[in-house]
């Protein structure tokens, strides 16, 4: 999805020194949090998050996973249900946005965030937080879309599913936040391995 530039908060602080990723992972012991959102549309001002999924990991592997629907007060647009397979019934009994935003803040604390076109998801999360009277997230982040363009300049496409297919990564539920977050993590780790010689 295209990034939104209408957000009333700070842009994400992107880490773009891709030649030092191996050092960041191995020597500095960074903890990462790959995350993804499913939303009711493309505008962080007008639309809402309906699912947030995340995977926390480091060089030893997956540390924890998080996934939650978010209750909203209007029907999910039919096109969104068609793409994500998320229905209004699935959001019945889901926690409030405030609870999910606080839970995700705790889950991602101290992590470098990862997202495929991360500015999009960042805008939605911080828009929700601002509307709820919460402080913006301040994590640094890596955009795996930008990383893939650097690592594979001859590729014709850079969508998450296209990259996963080329890397033989199993996509179990495309356009669902929890699986997209996992795939984002695996694309990141594979890209780091593929560019290992560049990073040395």
């Amino acid at each position: 999805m295209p990034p939104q530039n209408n957000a009333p908060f700070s842009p994400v602080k992107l880490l773009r020194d891709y030649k030092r990723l191996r050092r960041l992972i191995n020597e500095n012991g960074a903890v990462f949090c790959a995350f993804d959102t499913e939303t009711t549309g493309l505008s962080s001002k007008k639309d809402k998050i309906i699912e947030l999924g995340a995977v926390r990991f480091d060089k030893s592997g997956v540390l924890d996973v998080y996934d939650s629907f978010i209750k909203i007060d209007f029907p999910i647009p039919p096109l969104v249900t068609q793409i994500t397979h998320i229905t209004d019934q699935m959001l019945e009994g889901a926690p409030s946005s405030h609870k999910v935003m606080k839970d995700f803040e705790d889950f991602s604390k101290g992590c470098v965030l990862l997202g495929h076109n991360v500015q999009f998801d960042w805008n939605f999360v911080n828009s929700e937080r601002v509307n709820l009277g919460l402080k913006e997230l301040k994590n640094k982040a890596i955009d795996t879309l930008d990383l893939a363009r650097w690592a594979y300049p001859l590729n014709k496409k850079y969508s998450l599913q296209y990259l996963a297919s080329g890397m033989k990564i199993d996509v179990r539920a495309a356009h669902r936040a929890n699986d997209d977050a996992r795939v984002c993590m695996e694309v990141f780790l594979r890209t780091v391995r593929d560019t290992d010689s560049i990073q040395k």
Side-chain angles (χ1 to χ4, degrees):
M1 292 182 176
Q4 303 295 303
N5 297 315
N6 54 5
F9 38 78
S10 306
V12 64
K13 296 178 182 177
L14 289 174
L15 297 177
R16 285 198 169 102
D17 191 356
Y18 298 140
K19 291 184 179 181
R20 297 192 179 185
L21 283 180
R22 177 66 70 181
R23 185 182 305 172
L24 178 66
I25 295 171
N26 291 333
E27 296 178 16
N28 296 343
V31 178
F32 300 89
C33 177
F35 79 111
D36 185 72
T37 62
E38 300 304 331
T39 67
T40 59
L42 301 180
S43 172
S44 59
K45 281 187 173 181
K46 300 176 182 178
D47 295 302
K48 295 293 183 181
I49 302 172
I50 54 176
E51 185 184 27
L52 194 156
V55 182
R56 192 168 67 232
F57 66 98
D58 64 9
K59 63 182 179 181
S60 67
V62 173
L63 302 173
D64 202 358
V65 296
Y66 177 82
D67 181 51
S68 180
F69 290 124
I70 299 176
K71 189 174 182 61
I72 59 174
D73 58 5
F74 58 90
I76 300 172
L79 180 60
V80 172
T81 294
Q82 182 180 338
I83 293 171
T84 65
H85 304 292
I86 298 173
T87 66
D88 294 323
Q89 290 72 28
M90 294 166 72
L91 302 190
E92 291 178 1
S96 68
S97 179
H98 188 278
K99 177 173 176 18
V100 174
M101 291 302 107
K102 291 293 290 181
D103 287 347
F104 181 62
E105 178 183 358
D106 293 339
F107 185 86
S108 62
K109 187 175 182 179
C111 295
V112 177
L113 294 177
L114 292 180
H116 204 69
N117 193 11
V118 70
Q119 186 73 60
F120 177 86
D121 302 286
W122 174 270
N123 285 354
F124 265 91
V125 168
N126 272 339
S127 180
E128 288 278 346
R129 294 183 66 82
V130 167
N131 289 337
L132 292 165
L134 301 172
K135 292 182 179 179
E136 299 173 31
L137 293 183
K138 297 294 185 180
N139 305 56
K140 293 182 179 179
I142 294 172
D143 188 343
T144 54
L145 174 61
D146 190 56
L147 172 63
R149 286 172 173 158
W150 170 78
Y152 312 109
L154 300 182
N155 272 22
K156 295 180 179 179
K157 298 179 182 178
Y158 293 94
S159 72
L160 189 62
Q161 284 71 39
Y162 179 86
L163 292 169
S165 177
M167 296 174 178
K168 303 295 188 286
I169 294 170
D170 184 24
V171 176
R172 299 164 194 162
H175 304 298
R176 285 296 306 275
N178 56 348
D179 199 53
D180 282 354
R182 175 191 60 81
V183 173
C184 180
M185 174 192 70
E186 294 194 26
V187 166
F188 170 73
L189 293 173
R190 171 62 183 272
T191 304
V192 171
R193 291 197 300 270
D194 286 352
T195 58
D196 189 55
S197 62
I198 301 174
Q199 299 179 56
K200 290 179 179 179

